[in-house]
Amino acid sequence: MGIVHADNIDAVQRNRKILTMYRTIAALPPIVGALFLRELGTITDYSGLVGLAIAFCFPPLLYIASEKRLKDCGAAYETRYERTGRSSFAAMAMFWFGVISIFFCFILLTFV
């Protein structure tokens, strides 16, 4: 939602129709999974993989993209909150940890 409506995010957050649309999009993966599977445990297991992506893949990608954009604009990209783990290397390490975790969990859920 922030990427699509970056210019007027405050107005969009108060718009009930747009919020309902994004909440519906977020609810679709478990609903589609329920069409093919009848066991609730299996559905929540696969939906948990999306949680891994949200926790370990998207934040590092946002960090890398925002740092690149700020460098391109010539703005200061380092803040007073820069500490250990705040680097492109750490972000890529966390991203690949998330990708490998998702792949590993998918293999465990599907084939074991």
Side-chain angles (χ1 to χ4, degrees):
M1 185 166 82
I3 292 173
V4 176
H5 303 287
D7 296 337
N8 57 354
I9 191 71
D10 293 329
V12 169
Q13 286 180 342
R14 285 184 239 118
N15 188 334
R16 193 136 177 88
K17 289 181 181 179
I18 294 175
L19 283 178
T20 303
M21 178 188 71
Y22 281 105
R23 288 176 182 165
T24 304
I25 291 170
L28 282 178
I31 293 170
V32 171
L35 294 174
F36 300 105
L37 301 169
R38 296 291 179 214
E39 294 183 31
L40 181 61
T42 306
I43 295 167
T44 56
D45 289 344
Y46 282 103
S47 296
L49 293 177
V50 176
L52 280 175
I54 291 170
F56 291 110
C57 293
F58 295 130
L61 291 176
L62 289 171
Y63 176 84
I64 292 168
S66 65
E67 183 180 39
K68 181 181 181 306
R69 182 172 278 181
L70 286 171
K71 283 181 181 179
D72 291 344
C73 293
Y77 61 91
E78 293 181 352
T79 66
R80 60 188 293 184
Y81 302 106
E82 293 286 324
R83 293 203 175 104
T84 305
R86 300 280 187 217
S87 66
S88 294
F89 176 76
M92 286 304 293
M94 187 182 347
F95 171 76
W96 284 110
F97 172 77
V99 169
I100 291 168
S101 297
I102 291 168
F103 181 72
F104 180 72
C105 291
F106 181 79
I107 296 297
L108 283 178
L109 289 173
T110 306
F111 300 111
V112 176

